[in-house]
Structure formats: C-alpha cells, structure tokens
Amino acid sequence: MSLLITTCVLFVGSHLLLSHPLRDPLAGRLGPRGFQIVYSVVAFATLAMVVQAWRGMPPEPPLWAVDDPLWALASLLVLFASILFMGSLIGNPALPAPGAAFAAQKAPRGVFAITRHPMMWGFALWALAHALVMPTPGQLVLSATIAFLALVGSAGQDVKKARLMGDAWRHWAARTSFIPFARQVAGVTPWGDAIPRGHALAGGFVLWLAATWAHGALGFMAAGIWRWIG
C-alpha cells in the first residue's frame, strides 16, 4: 500500500507540475517538441510505476458487498462517462487545438452544456464506477488518484486557458459549468441543450460495449451487460 500511495503521488505530482508551474520554463528551454517528449516520458513512466504497484497488491477483502444493482449503477456510470468522453473529442475548446478560440464562440450544446470538461469528468466517473464494484483499499486509492487528477487538473486547466485564450475562454466559462448539470439544476440552461449529440451517443455506446467486453476478455471481471449475457 505504501508503494502504491507513493507512486500515485509521483504520478499526480509530476503531471500537475509539468502541466502548470514547470511547463513554460521547460518549454522555453527545450522547445515545444522537446517539452512534449519529456512530458510524455515522465507521464508514461510514472503511470507504469502505478500500474506495477497496483498489480503487486496482495488480495484484499472488499469493504462492502457488491450486488447486481450496484453493478448496474456502475455500468450506467461508465456508459455516461463514455458518452462524455466521445462527445469531448469534437469542438472542445479545452483541447490544445488551433480552433479552440473559434469553438469557444459557439453555443454550448450536448456534452458541453452538461460540463465544460466532459473528458475529465468521464475519467472521474470511470474511476468512481470501479471503486463501487471493486471496493478494496488498493482500488480506492487508485480510483481516488484518477478522479483527483482529472478534477484538479480541470480546475488548473480553467486557469491556464483563461491565461492563454483570454476573453474567449472566460466567455466560454461564463456560459458553461464545471459541475455536470449545474446550470440545468439552477434553471439557467434548458435541459434540452444537454442532450448529447449523435456522435457522442453512438460513439459512447460503442466504446462502452467494446471496453466492457474487453474487461472480461482480458481476464478481469465481466463488466457491463456482459455480466448478464456472457
């Protein structure tokens, strides 16, 4: 457990440092391409350390019973996370794309009407689902690490994007919410705006089916609908 916690801290800490305070100084010295190489090497190396530490955990008893209703809830969370993720790949101002400022001028629709960080919330919900159905101390540490990095990273991204994009991002942030469905609950944005677009629904459903099938095919616990039809 100590090794898992240590590697998780290294993974999160290095990611946040390279994404924010160290990004500009290192990019200035190494150049954009050199920085991306360093960033990628550190990210993959620390992630590999986390995975190895997690795999080396001894068998642990679950902290609560996991039944079919909990599996169904987790499966729905992963489906929603997959829809958020696929919807985030097109027209996302948060991505480092040349057309980010132009995308920020559009009216938030679909997953972006749900949250301005659909990709990161997708990762956080994926982590929550795994914690629900695999409630061991090791899995809870791993899930908490992924969710923390996704959500704290999103908050940091708001600050960085406001600095890089200026009014374009601030205008986008003013018309979107960080917390999913916060604007709909507050009555500011119609619920109809938050209906995911076709590519998000279709792509998310296919990703969910494929990922949950692979979960069992790779030797892990059967997940999704494959728990009941496999």
Side-chain angles (χ1 to χ4, degrees), residues 42-150:
V42 172
F44 281 113
T46 52
L47 178 60
M49 293 168 62
V50 170
V51 171
Q52 288 300 317
W54 182 73
R55 288 181 173 176
M57 290 288 294
E60 300 174 299
L63 299 177
W64 57 78
V66 179
D67 52 13
D68 280 350
L70 196 56
W71 266 105
L73 173 61
S75 298
L76 290 175
L77 285 174
V78 173
L79 174 58
F80 182 50
S82 300
I83 292 171
L84 289 177
F85 177 81
M86 294 304 292
S88 74
L89 300 179
I90 298 178
N92 188 353
L95 294 179
F102 176 76
Q105 297 174 9
K106 298 181 179 180
R109 294 289 187 272
V111 297
F112 302 111
I114 297 173
T115 172
R116 64 176 166 273
H117 293 293
M119 181 181 290
M120 295 305 182
W121 273 101
F123 289 138
L125 291 174
W126 174 86
L128 172 61
H130 281 72
L132 288 176
V133 296
M134 194 176 175
T136 62
Q139 180 61 50
L140 294 183
V141 169
L142 181 61
S143 291
T145 297
I146 294 170
F148 178 85
L149 181 57

Side-chain angles (χ1 to χ4, degrees), residues 108 113-114 173-177 179-191:
I114 297 173
R175 295 177 295 146
T176 57
S177 63
I179 299 175
F181 298 111
R183 291 177 65 86
Q184 285 76 22
V185 172
V188 178
T189 299
W191 286 93

Side-chain angles (χ1 to χ4, degrees), residues 195-211:
I195 298 175
R197 309 295 97 169
H199 70 278
L201 288 172
F205 187 72
V206 170
L207 175 62
W208 176 70
L209 282 179

